[in-house]
Amino acid sequence: MLLASAVVVWEWLNEHGRWRPYSPAVSHHIEAVIRAGPRAGGSVVLGQVDSRLAPYIIDLQSMHQFRQDTGTIRPVRRSYYDPSSAPGKGVVWEWENDSGSWTPYDMEVGITIQHAYEKQHPWIDLTSIGFCYVIDFATMGQINRQTQRKRRIRRRLDMVYPLVTGTLPKSQSWPASPGVASLPPAPSCTCPQCLLVMSVKAAVSAGTNGSTGTTPPQQQQQQQQQQQQQRKASAPPGGAKPPSLMPGNKPLDGTATMRGSLKTLASQVSRRQAASTPALSSAGSPASPPSANGKASRASLNTLNRTHLQRLAIAQSRVLIASGVPTVPVKNLNGSSPVNPALAGITGILMSAAGLPVCLTRPPKLVLHPPPVSKSEIKSIPGISNTCRKTTKKQAKKGKTPEEVLKKYLQKVRHPPDEDCTICMERLSAPSGYKGPQPAVKPDLVGKLSKCGHIYHLHCLIAMYNNGNKDGSLQCPTCKTIYGVKTGTQPPGKMEYHLIPHSLPGHSDCKTIRIIYNIPPGVQGPEHPNAGKSFTARGFPRHCYLPDSEKGRKVLKLLLVAWDRRLIFAIGTSSTTGESDTVIWNEIHHKTEFGSNLTGHGYPDANYLDNVLAELAAQGITEESVAQEKD
């Protein structure tokens, strides 16, 4: 049964299958366009409300978001939530990402966190909704249950999401209800892009009226005479030039001529199409009112083929140049080579004019794998021995107690400073607040880590060590400095690596290093989250790619060290599917797309090699580690 009132949150689907919320301001803007009815054009330009979203347009007919500069299309949806929940109160929960900026949680996660916060729970475990995290309200931190990594979180107040009342629509189609079309239109926008939208609509409407059948030659001649008369009647007195779309900007030569040619082109295209293709019915097409003969006035634009759309786009792009409208690079329809930036924004204009998601770029294809490679073409990598490596399992030496391990990294502190222990959040001058199994040391003992100088209760450090891999290493929870050799819990598997005779986008001067990881399903060991329980291994073998450059080979050598230390994979809960007890990546990013970068896991990416070197360093793997492994 539908609610009598709810808050509306517009969301988009990311590459991991998660619905991500637009901000309250963007949701209000979309709702305003819906309330304006079909006269608003059927599409939403997100850059009008948030400059960071300038490339994005939402088509309300197909419920898709289109990015003009890349051609990426993503589904969107209109979701309803209880007015008493977080979005109805303007509460946003966010976590701090690696770059130091704040990322909002998915709406269902934020609502769950807010509910626990209002109930004054000290913490909440998100495992029940598919995330392996614990939210600690006392420290305002998010803790990864598998890795014990901690991130800061925050709760902030924002605009309340739009509230709707009455009978809610069951579908996400547009308009939301038959009565929407009868609402008075919103005030027209005078920005250059909207003015261009209206000019294209006028051109399309002029070219499509009465074009449902073959036009006799006499009627064509009469139409041409009428158009000439209209142009004469509307010409400024004294031969003055028409005003530019951009106030204060003088139009370039040929601007008026180009606008006229655009209208002529739209009319010619529609007549050609009408002569060979029946016009479509107006049913389910609220973007334009039906004409007198019962056909939709935008029917001929529906039937435009790719060639005609190209011609219309090129003509309108010239108008954009002449009017001085800022543009963004767009890809060519016939390939991937860049074309004149004048085509930028055309897609949104045509989508709005036609009420359809018109794509002027051929959508990029996902290229995960290189062309087929024969065995004779696969070569070993110079400077790196072998082409295959299996997981080696390293454990702490027997007989080493946690106290004995930590003693190597700590210095005694006789007079603790007057500050908190960041593990238990109790004062260092007071006993440890750890309530678990008590180690064989006094609870008021305090130690300082020798490298970074951070100070903790000895009780707390021992508890942290016991909850980890117990491999003889320790990582400072504040600055992440690693003491000893850090190892992970990666299950047994095989890593292959070799050269293939193909180049990655952005690295045309070298061949490609291909890495193939293969981990079979199995049973979890004592170091895993659920010892004795089976685990799955989805998506194996996994293919990854590096350029065969000096830096690419350096990354490979460090990845081999990470593999030997069992740090590349772990067993936990997948952030993509929500499946638990499965093999997941362990915070060392890999490139799994060979010839594209649609998901962010491909090339070109000028910063990737530097970023992955930093991620490896965060795991304690540097060039010195390679030398240690040889020793």
Side-chain angles (χ1 to χ4, degrees), residues 71-103:
T72 304
I73 298 176
R74 298 186 186 277
V76 300
R77 73 179 184 183
R78 187 185 191 216
S79 299
Y80 306 98
Y81 294 96
D82 192 321
S84 64
S85 63
K89 298 178 178 179
V91 175
V92 180
W93 285 89
E94 299 173 319
W95 54 276
E96 186 179 29
N97 57 36
D98 292 337
S99 64
S101 57
W102 294 91
T103 302

Side-chain angles (χ1 to χ4, degrees), residues 215-228:
T215 306
Q218 296 85 353
Q219 187 174 351
Q220 291 182 8
Q221 186 175 1
Q222 292 175 359
Q223 290 176 352
Q224 292 174 359
Q225 292 175 354
Q226 291 175 359
Q227 290 174 0
Q228 291 175 359

